[in-house]
């Protein structure tokens, strides 16, 4: 369960997230939609504290994950990031072998047991629906894979450290339609075990993969409800306009 | 209109190509000149024995060994130091005063004449620290000389590593040091090697910095420790060409020495290129 309480976020004097209160249930997929620049990525990065490093950025309010405030002095950010994985807009595998990419998170978290790592790599690649395509070339460079395969590799890489939440920032926007479909299928399966928060600019995609949808505009959460309801009968006029493509 | 444009392009192309050939020609000419004049003295004996007969006979083995020691010594000093300071300026602090100082210093250090490094090395390492004329004093002096190059190329190499790699690593729970060690440095390594190539060329060829810090005029035995003096190829070449007992008689040996020096530089460079290729294959 993810919860934000009166969250405000600033880049210097720019008010990027405005007083957002939101609850996201575990083992479900939540889509964040809205015009570009409305703060979706900023909001997403709050949950694995990837905004921490941005100079001049400031957070007000609270973010809770599974009953814990993740912005206390005692929060172990590396542990948080193990629990909250992230998949980026453009596939960003490391210039290493397929195996080493998936094993990376385990190794930086201090795991040395070869047998365990090997097992985890296979499990993660299987969970990311990539195992059959790469099982004979685990030692090949990740750059030999296609874009879609690279993105699934990045998903496997995130899964390897056993997170409970996956943050995805427009994970399919750099991919062709077939690869996109594969990623969406994957999200369908994964959301039974993981909480998935996905940013997308693609309405159909939000409608297809998510259980709940949140619509943001100018840093404000305009509407947040069940995806079906959101797309069939939105409450706010702005939502209606955005969904039907009348602006944005 | 189209026609003139095309002709202009043709002319430009031809000019550039001719210039390219000219440069290549000059290089080949120099190389050919040295090979032509030096090849006759090259033999196992020339490479593996010490100079004799007032340096008009014998070989250049002590100078070869000396140059190797200086290459290794200065690299061992300048590389860890240079790489670490580049990591500091690029990865840890973007624009604080220390970073700015390092940047200004490296830019200025790079343009100081090498003889000044020689004087500085003599004052600091030879006299003040009391190393005397020695491999260590020479290596440290040469190390200082190449430090700016190492810092520069390492900085560029680190900056060329995509930011998305760092983000990907951070998002998996890696801290900064882990990210640098496991992702950034390995990715930047081939380009850091370029710095190695450049500085090896520099170290093997410089005479001024070793003149007062390590180079022996004539020392037909090998060093026993890093506090011994050694002969070195560029200085030996200088001695042979200007101040031997019989300069005319030593002339072929001078060309032979030049040939060996060039060969060593080429050898080191190819070694570096091979290492670079090795690493790039794993990407
Ligand atoms: N690092 C940053 N520094 C300053 N402003 C930023 C930074 N990142 C994003 N912004 C600004 O914050 C707003 C929200 O950005 P973002 O969260 O990336 O929007 P979205 O993902 O919805 O397109 C935009 O106006 C953007 O210009
Ligand atoms: Mg975005």
């Amino acid at each position: 369960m993810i919860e934000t309480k009166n969250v405000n976020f600033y880049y210097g004097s720019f008010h990027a997230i405005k007083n957002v209160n939101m609850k996201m249930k575990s083992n479900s997929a939540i889509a964040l939609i809205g015009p570009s620049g409305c703060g979706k990525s900023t909001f997403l990065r709050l949950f694995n504290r990837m905004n921490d490093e941005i100079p001049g950025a400031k957070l007000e309010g609270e973010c809770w994950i599974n009953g814990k405030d993740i912005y206390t002095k005692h929060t172990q950010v590396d542990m948080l990031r193990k629990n909250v994985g992230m998949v980026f807009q453009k596939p960003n595998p490391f210039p290493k072998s397929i195996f080493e990419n998936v094993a990376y998170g385990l190794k930086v978290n201090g795991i040395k047991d070869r047998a365990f790592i090997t097992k985890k790599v296979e499990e993660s690649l299987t969970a990311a629906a990539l195992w059959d395509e790469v099982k004979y070339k685990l030692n090949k460079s990740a750059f030999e894979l296609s874009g879609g395969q690279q993105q699934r590799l990045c998903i496997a890489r995130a899964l390897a450290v056993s997170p409970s939440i996956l943050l995805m920032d427009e994970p399919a926007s750099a991919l062709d339609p077939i690869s996109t479909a594969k990623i969406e299928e994957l999200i369908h399966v994964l959301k039974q075990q993981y909480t998935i928060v996905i940013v997308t600019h693609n309405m159909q995609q939000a409608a297809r993969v998510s259980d709940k949808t949140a619509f943001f505009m100018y840093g404000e959460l305009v509407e947040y409800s069940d995806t079906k309801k959101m797309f069939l009968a939105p409450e706010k006029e702005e939502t209606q306009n955005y969904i039907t493509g009348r602006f944005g | 209109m189209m026609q003139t444009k095309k002709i202009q392009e043709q002319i430009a192309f031809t000019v550039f190509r001719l210039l390219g050939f000219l440069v290549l020609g000059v290089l080949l000419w120099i190389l050919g000149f040295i090979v032509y004049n030096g090849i006759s003295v090259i033999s196992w004996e020339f490479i593996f024995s010490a100079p004799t007969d007032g340096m008009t006979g014998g070989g250049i083995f002590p100078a070869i060994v000396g140059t190797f020691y200086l290459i290794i010594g200065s690299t061992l000093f300048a590389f860890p130091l240079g790489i670490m300071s580049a990591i500091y300026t690029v990865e840890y602090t973007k624009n604080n005063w220390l970073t700015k100082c390092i940047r200004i210093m490296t830019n200025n250090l790079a343009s100081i004449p090498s003889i000044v490094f020689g004087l500085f090395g003599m004052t600091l390492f030879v006299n003040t620290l009391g190393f005397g004329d020695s491999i260590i004093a020479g290596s440290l002096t040469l190390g200082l000389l190449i430090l700016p190059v190492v810092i520069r190329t390492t900085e560029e190499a680190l900056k060329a590593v995509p930011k998305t790699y760092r983000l990907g690593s951070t998002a998996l729970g890696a801290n900064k040091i882990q990210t640098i060690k496991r992702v950034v440095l390995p990715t930047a390594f081939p380009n850091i090697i370029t710095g190695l190539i450049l500085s090896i060329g520099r170290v093997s060829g410089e005479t001024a910095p070793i003149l007062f810090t390590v180079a022996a005029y004539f020392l037909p035995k090998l060093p026993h420790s890093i506090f011994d003096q050694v002969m070195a190829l560029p200085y030996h070449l200088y001695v042979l060409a200007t101040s031997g007992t019989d300069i005319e008689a030593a002339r072929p040996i001078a060309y032979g020495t030049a040939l060996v020096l060039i060969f060593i530089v080429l050898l080191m460079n190819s070694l570096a290129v091979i290492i670079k290729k090795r690493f790039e294959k794993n990407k």
Side-chain angles (χ1 to χ4, degrees):
Chain A
M1 168 110 145
I2 305 174
E3 186 173 2
T4 68
K5 299 177 184 169
N6 301 321
V7 160
N8 285 282
F9 191 84
Y10 304 84
Y11 291 111
S13 60
F14 178 70
H15 198 173
I17 301 289
K18 296 173 186 157
N19 204 43
V20 172
N21 289 286
M22 199 169 154
K23 283 184 187 169
M24 301 178 226
K25 252 190 15 211
S26 296
N27 301 350
S28 66
I30 299 95
L32 310 180
I33 62 171
S36 79
C38 71
K40 304 180 296 292
S41 299
T42 305
F43 188 66
L44 193 72
R45 287 194 300 262
L46 288 176
F47 304 116
N48 62 347
R49 293 188 54 168
M50 288 293 277
N51 286 330
D52 283 16
E53 257 105 291
I54 299 170
K58 195 178 86 194
L59 172 75
E60 286 166 0
E62 291 171 12
C63 287
W64 290 69
I65 289 180
N66 299 334
K68 272 195 221 141
D69 184 345
I70 59 166
Y71 280 90
T72 67
K73 274 209 298 278
H74 314 289
T75 307
Q76 287 179 289
V77 180
D78 53 341
M79 287 299 151
L80 172 72
R81 288 179 183 153
K82 244 183 81 178
N83 184 38
V84 185
M86 185 165 228
V87 177
F88 297 82
Q89 189 164 354
K90 264 178 63 190
N92 61 344
F94 302 128
K96 297 175 183 291
S97 70
I98 294 170
F99 184 93
E100 287 301 327
N101 263 280
V102 185
Y104 185 86
L106 298 168
K107 289 189 175 172
V108 297
N109 283 293
I111 292 166
K112 296 211 171 69
D113 183 350
R114 281 305 292 184
F116 179 79
I117 292 177
T118 310
K119 189 179 117 235
K120 262 297 184 190
V121 167
E122 177 174 350
E123 277 176 17
S124 311
L125 284 167
T126 308
L130 190 59
W131 176 250
D132 286 334
E133 290 158 63
V134 302
K135 62 183 168 194
Y136 297 120
K137 49 176 183 181
L138 293 175
N139 290 319
K140 285 272 164 62
S141 164
F143 292 167
E144 287 180 20
L145 300 175
S146 73
Q149 288 175 322
Q150 288 187 10
Q151 194 61 304
R152 277 179 282 147
L153 180 67
C154 291
I155 293 175
R157 186 173 74 180
L159 294 179
V161 290
S162 313
S164 67
I165 297 168
L166 271 189
L167 309 174
M168 299 182 155
D169 196 346
E170 306 195 26
S173 65
L175 306 180
D176 60 87
I178 293 174
S179 308
T180 302
K182 280 194 180 146
I183 300 273
E184 288 183 9
E185 250 170 68
L186 186 56
I187 294 173
H188 255 289
V189 178
L190 290 176
K191 75 178 182 191
Q192 284 149 30
Q193 274 192 60
Y194 303 89
T195 310
I196 294 178
V197 189
I198 176 174
V199 171
T200 176
H201 60 245
N202 179 331
M203 292 313 114
Q204 287 82 23
Q205 185 168 70
R208 281 192 298 262
V209 303
S210 70
D211 303 303
K212 289 194 130 199
T213 298
F215 172 58
F216 284 82
M217 226 166 86
Y218 304 120
E220 279 176 69
L221 177 58
V222 176
E223 185 164 352
Y224 177 44
S225 62
D226 285 350
T227 299
K228 272 214 191 82
K229 173 161 181 294
M230 178 83 106
F231 283 93
L232 291 176
E235 261 163 34
K236 300 267 171 59
E237 201 185 323
E238 292 107 308
T239 318
Q240 175 78 33
N241 288 345
Y242 182 71
I243 291 172
T244 52
R246 242 172 282 161
F247 110 109
Chain B
M1 202 55 204
M2 261 344 260
Q3 207 59 18
T4 41
K5 241 189 172 169
K6 227 178 191 158
I7 290 171
Q8 274 176 353
E9 215 161 73
Q10 282 287 337
I11 292 174
F13 181 70
T14 313
V15 169
F16 285 133
R17 193 157 67 169
L18 282 177
L19 287 175
F21 276 124
L22 188 70
V23 172
L24 189 69
V26 170
L27 282 175
L28 285 177
W29 184 46
I30 295 175
L31 205 62
F33 180 75
I34 290 173
V35 171
Y36 177 80
N37 286 296
I39 196 83
S40 61
V41 299
I42 302 288
S43 66
W44 287 117
E45 206 217 321
F46 180 71
I47 292 176
F48 289 109
S49 66
T52 53
D53 306 316
M55 288 188 271
T56 57
I60 52 168
F61 190 55
I64 295 178
V65 171
T67 288
F68 262 108
Y69 281 144
L70 291 175
I71 289 175
I72 292 169
S74 56
T75 310
L76 280 182
F77 166 62
F79 261 72
L81 197 64
I83 290 176
M84 281 191 283
S85 66
I87 288 176
Y88 177 75
T89 57
V90 175
E91 302 290 331
Y92 282 92
T93 54
K94 291 283 171 306
N95 265 318
N96 71 2
W97 64 271
L98 187 55
T99 314
K100 276 184 199 140
C101 280
I102 293 177
R103 207 149 281 153
I104 292 170
M105 296 257 276
T106 47
N107 284 342
N108 287 326
L109 273 180
S111 54
I112 291 175
S114 56
I115 187 78
V116 177
F117 279 92
L119 285 170
F120 177 77
M122 180 179 70
T123 313
L124 181 63
F125 304 124
V126 177
N127 297 331
T128 310
L129 294 178
F131 293 151
D133 277 355
S134 60
I135 295 178
I136 176 123
S139 296
L140 291 174
T141 309
L142 285 169
L144 283 182
L145 180 82
I146 59 172
L147 197 55
V149 180
V150 176
I151 294 178
R152 247 297 138 76
T153 45
T154 309
E155 278 185 344
E156 295 307 320
L158 294 176
K159 282 182 198 158
V161 176
K163 194 151 186 279
T164 54
Y165 292 179
R166 295 181 174 85
L167 289 177
S169 173
T170 311
L172 285 164
N175 61 26
K176 200 142 198 172
I177 295 174
Q178 288 174 320
T179 302
I180 291 170
K181 204 179 100 196
R182 289 169 181 270
V183 178
V184 179
L185 274 183
T187 311
F189 191 73
N191 288 334
I192 295 178
I193 288 289
T194 314
L196 187 65
I197 296 175
L198 293 174
S199 44
I200 285 175
R202 191 91 195 268
V203 166
S204 13
E206 282 288 345
T207 314
I210 57 175
L211 203 54
F212 321 123
T213 55
V214 50
Y217 178 79
F218 177 66
L219 184 70
K221 60 179 171 64
L222 299 181
H224 294 296
S225 83
I226 54 170
F227 294 104
D228 287 347
Q229 257 187 299
V230 281
M231 296 178 81
L233 287 170
Y235 181 57
H236 188 54
L237 183 55
Y238 169 74
V239 167
L240 288 174
T242 59
S243 64
T245 45
D246 184 346
I247 293 173
E248 276 316 309
R251 193 69 84 199
I253 296 184
Y255 282 118
T257 308
L259 187 55
V260 170
L261 182 53
I262 289 178
F263 180 74
I264 288 178
V265 173
L266 288 181
L267 188 76
M268 286 299 207
N269 285 2
S270 357
L271 206 69
V273 171
I274 290 169
I275 297 172
K276 187 174 159 159
K277 280 269 149 63
R278 265 277 163 80
F279 263 80
E280 274 173 350
K281 238 199 265 159
N282 291 334
K283 286 206 184 165

